[in-house]
Amino acid sequence: MNPHSDPSHPEVAAEHGDQLIGIARSIRVWQEQQRPAVSDNQMIRRFPALGSDKTYRKLRNGDLESLNPSQHLPKYRGVWAAIEALIGAAAAEQIYEDLQPALETNLAAGSLIPQRGKKRLLIIEGPSGAGKTESLKLIAARFTGLVVQVEAHEGWRSAAGALRDILLAVDPRKKREDLPSSTADLMDATIMALGEGNHVLTIDEGHHMGAPVLNVLKTLLNRTRCHIIVAAIGTLWRKLAARSWEEARQLVFNRLHDRVILGPPSQTDVELFLSRRIPSLNGGDWRRAVPVIADHAGRSGNYAFLRDLSDRANQSDEEPAATDLIRWASELKALHER
């Protein structure tokens, strides 16, 4: 065996160690760039190949003690490949400000921000793929410097879980391991971090919140000047409100500025979206497919369906006709229904 291909050879082990540390640090840089903020626990749940929290922390700090670089290197290469794919997909994604979801949420957000009274909560409801997340991104871009982005998850069943994420998003200089342990201290620290600033806290996936977090939002609205925008799947949000009626009643009925309910893409939005995402579309024939596509999209993922259809059309070497678009849309709908 060539000693320089043997993982146990000192030179090979050292080279693998350097590569591993470099990849771990690149992963960390990407993690810190994410908005909403992504915690170490969320990273490990999303990318199990990172190993334990301790392993991930040691590697990005350049500590290889008790670790086998050759064992971890293929796994970290796989994680970085997945992240590079996400980076590429994000670069290719476009958000259109003149589609209905963006227009409605931008109008509501513009009306919310000047509010100084108690009603500083905006709720954006809609099914999966209806444009909630994209609308929050547009709000963040429009109100640069004011918006703090977070994403709810299963850990938001508790007030402490939500407050940790919010506090780290408001003050990224803080480290999770240094945060207070008690809910009361976390609340005080979050209120102090928000201070007297006119922050806009946007919460995606809000249907993951538990009843205690509804009370957290009410307290933040009472004790700070912040504005809160929650985006959630409408059916799941209503289930949350039914389970936690009193908490939801106090929050929504006393603090709600507006509620935006997003629906399926209209035929106008379908036409605008496809005309921009499929460069090979010319003439007017393809527009005959718009009513069918709009109907399929409303039943099978909304704007996410339109993105998938655009990707399929862009794989074709020829200009798509209406019959092609209808056929591809029907195939995607069938896949969605499986």
Side-chain angles (χ1 to χ4, degrees):
M1 174 185 292
N2 184 344
H4 294 288
S5 64
D6 180 2
S8 62
H9 190 279
E11 291 184 13
V12 175
E15 181 180 348
H16 285 183
D18 289 343
Q19 292 179 23
L20 181 59
I21 290 170
I23 293 172
R25 287 173 173 169
S26 295
I27 292 171
R28 180 63 171 181
V29 169
W30 177 83
Q31 177 188 350
E32 292 177 338
Q33 292 173 343
Q34 299 312 293
R35 294 293 180 273
V38 177
S39 69
D40 286 356
N41 286 337
Q42 288 174 293
M43 282 291 290
I44 290 167
R45 284 197 299 268
R46 189 173 188 181
F47 305 107
L50 290 174
S52 67
D53 177 74
K54 181 179 179 182
T55 297
Y56 178 42
R57 184 170 59 251
K58 288 182 67 172
L59 287 174
R60 66 180 189 247
N61 289 334
D63 181 4
L64 294 172
E65 185 178 355
S66 74
L67 297 177
N68 182 341
S70 299
Q71 177 184 348
H72 290 285
L73 183 57
K75 299 177 181 178
Y76 272 63
R77 282 173 173 164
V79 171
W80 183 241
I83 289 174
E84 286 185 317
L86 291 173
I87 294 171
E93 186 56 71
Q94 292 175 287
I95 303 172
Y96 303 121
E97 297 186 25
D98 55 353
L99 297 184
Q100 200 62 30
L103 291 172
E104 292 184 17
T105 53
N106 257 327
L107 181 63
S111 172
L112 170 75
I113 304 307
Q115 297 299 316
R116 294 294 179 267
K118 291 183 177 180
K119 296 190 174 184
R120 304 192 313 278
L121 170 67
L122 170 62
I123 296 176
I124 303 171
E125 291 185 28
S128 179
K132 300 183 298 297
T133 299
E134 288 77 8
S135 297
L136 291 182
K137 290 178 182 177
L138 282 174
I139 291 170
R142 178 181 176 187
F143 298 101
T144 304
L146 293 180
V147 173
V148 177
Q149 298 173 271
V150 289
E151 182 175 313
H153 50 79
E154 294 297 330
W156 280 43
R157 301 298 182 195
S158 73
L163 283 166
R164 289 188 188 96
D165 288 346
I166 294 171
L167 180 53
L168 289 172
V170 175
D171 187 355
R173 297 169 299 177
K174 294 186 181 296
K175 296 182 178 179
R176 184 171 291 268
E177 54 266 29
D178 297 333
L179 298 183
S181 56
S182 75
T183 301
D185 288 343
L186 281 167
M187 177 64 80
D188 289 342
T190 302
I191 291 171
M192 184 176 295
L194 287 168
E196 294 298 315
N198 191 29
H199 292 88
V200 181
L201 177 63
T202 67
I203 302 172
D204 202 2
E205 304 290 337
H207 46 270
H208 286 304
M209 295 189 296
V213 183
L214 298 180
N215 286 327
V216 165
L217 301 189
K218 184 180 69 173
T219 300
L220 293 179
L221 289 169
N222 286 344
R223 297 180 59 186
T224 75
R225 295 173 56 190
C226 78
H227 300 74
I228 299 177
I229 302 175
V230 177
I233 294 176
T235 53
L236 298 180
W237 175 264
R238 287 188 287 276
K239 285 182 181 179
L240 168 62
R243 287 196 308 267
S244 313
W245 169 246
E246 184 58 29
E247 293 86 350
R249 185 189 68 80
Q250 292 184 27
L251 180 65
V252 173
F253 287 94
N254 297 328
R255 302 292 184 272
L256 184 65
H257 170 71
D258 198 1
R259 183 193 305 267
V260 176
I261 299 179
L262 303 179
S266 66
Q267 292 187 26
T268 299
D269 276 5
V270 170
E271 185 173 333
L272 283 171
F273 191 98
L274 297 183
S275 66
R276 293 166 179 173
R277 293 295 291 262
I278 308 176
S280 58
L281 291 177
N282 291 301
D285 174 77
W286 68 271
R287 290 181 171 84
R288 293 190 295 107
V290 167
V292 176
I293 294 171
D295 180 68
H296 288 350
R299 302 168 187 269
S300 307
N302 300 298
Y303 289 91
F305 180 90
L306 298 181
R307 286 193 290 271
D308 291 342
L309 177 60
S310 301
D311 291 342
R312 174 64 185 86
N314 287 328
Q315 293 172 9
S316 175
D317 294 329
E318 299 180 359
E319 177 186 339
T323 52
D324 298 318
L325 293 172
I326 291 172
R327 185 178 75 256
W328 296 330
S330 298
E331 290 171 355
L332 286 171
K333 179 174 178 288
L335 285 173
H336 187 273
E337 291 173 345
R338 286 183 182 176

